[in-house]
Amino acid sequence: KQEVTQIPAALSVPEGENLVLNCSFTDSAIYNLQWFRQDPGKGLTSLLLIQSSQREQTSGRLNASLDKSSGRSTLYIAASQPGDSATYLCAVVSGGSYIPTFGRGTSLIVHP
Amino acid sequence: DAGVTQSPTHLIKTRGQQVTLRCSPKSGHDTVSWYQQALGQGPQFIFQYYEEEERQRGNFPDRFSGHQFPNYSSELNVNALLLGDSALYLCASSLLRGADIQYFGAGTRLSVL
């Protein structure tokens, strides 16, 4: 059974800092991994999707990397802004079953 | 182009009742997945519909059932509601049976009293 862990659970930083959010998974036989953002009480917004054959994806100030062999993905946020405050979730789609497993998320607060 | 839409936004039910939640996928998407998100937790996969059939199912009891219509919209039905069913229910649509990017709706907040 796939298990996904996100560290840290919460993070509070001043504006302008570069951040790294971590996602680890137990079964390396994955199909893809997706990072999402969730604002309080809202649905999820897709940030980046990394296929199992890829090592990283970039979108603006966001960069996500994937290391299947070690069961890890990181989301790098450059020059953080107060508008980045949200919960960040990673979801791993397991190969074969194609069932996605989510972590519990990292709650991020960026202070002005 | 409308994204994923869900209705209703909020719902209050009592134990033992039945509820139906609705989802319209993003235009052009043929796959709909449903998730349950308890407070402070990540979403839990309930099931996925493609070509009007349930294709994948997570670890949820048979009280949870669904349907997909020819226009790809979907319903989630929950029978014999329990207090523990209180959660945010999220619908996501995608192409390629979930292998591509998933787009989520804003969710339906269900409270069971």
Side-chain angles (χ1 to χ4, degrees):
Chain A
K1 177 189 172 188
Q2 180 74 271
E3 293 182 6
V4 179
T5 303
Q6 291 190 245
I7 294 173
L11 193 57
S12 181
V13 300
E15 183 176 5
E17 280 206 2
N18 299 323
L19 308 171
V20 175
L21 308 182
N22 297 293
C23 172
S24 62
F25 46 94
T26 55
D27 185 350
S28 61
I30 69 170
Y31 189 77
N32 63 40
L33 184 148
Q34 194 166 357
W35 283 93
F36 294 89
R37 167 191 173 131
Q38 186 174 31
D39 293 290
K42 306 291 186 183
L44 279 65
T45 301
S46 177
L47 298 173
L48 292 164
L49 171 72
I50 309 177
Q51 301 292 352
S52 63
S53 59
Q54 297 175 321
R55 296 282 294 181
E56 66 176 342
Q57 284 285 346
T58 298
S59 176
R61 294 183 295 110
L62 304 179
N63 175 275
S65 66
L66 174 63
D67 184 345
K68 277 197 313 178
S69 61
S70 65
R72 294 175 63 184
S73 176
T74 59
L75 178 66
Y76 177 82
I77 303 175
S80 58
Q81 303 171 357
D84 294 331
S85 299
T87 296
Y88 289 81
L89 295 149
C90 74
V92 177
V93 176
S94 298
S97 72
Y98 299 104
I99 290 177
T101 303
F102 278 82
R104 294 179 65 170
T106 293
S107 178
L108 172 65
I109 296 176
V110 181
H111 300 284
Chain B
D1 173 32
V4 180
T5 57
Q6 293 187 243
S7 62
T9 54
H10 295 88
L11 208 50
I12 299 175
K13 292 286 188 179
T14 56
R15 280 181 299 173
Q17 285 190 312
Q18 179 265 343
V19 68
T20 297
L21 311 182
R22 295 175 176 82
C23 172
S24 292
K26 182 177 170 65
S27 178
H29 284 186
D30 56 9
T31 302
V32 173
S33 302
W34 287 92
Y35 297 82
Q36 178 194 68
Q37 187 178 24
L39 204 60
Q41 305 289 321
Q44 298 287 317
F45 176 78
I46 302 175
F47 43 53
Q48 180 190 87
Y49 277 84
Y50 171 74
E51 291 187 339
E52 302 179 48
E53 289 190 18
E54 183 184 295
R55 300 291 180 170
Q56 299 286 349
R57 190 178 182 91
N59 188 27
F60 279 80
D62 292 344
R63 296 188 298 110
F64 289 77
S65 63
H67 188 77
Q68 185 179 35
F69 299 93
N71 66 353
Y72 307 123
S73 66
S74 177
E75 289 182 348
L76 165 64
N77 301 293
V78 187
N79 295 322
L81 285 167
L82 304 173
L83 296 179
D85 294 331
S86 295
L88 180 67
Y89 287 84
L90 295 164
C91 167
S93 75
S94 63
L95 293 169
L96 304 177
R97 294 182 61 177
D100 202 357
I101 296 172
Q102 293 197 69
Y103 293 84
F104 280 77
T108 294
R109 173 70 64 187
L110 173 64
S111 298
V112 182
L113 305 178

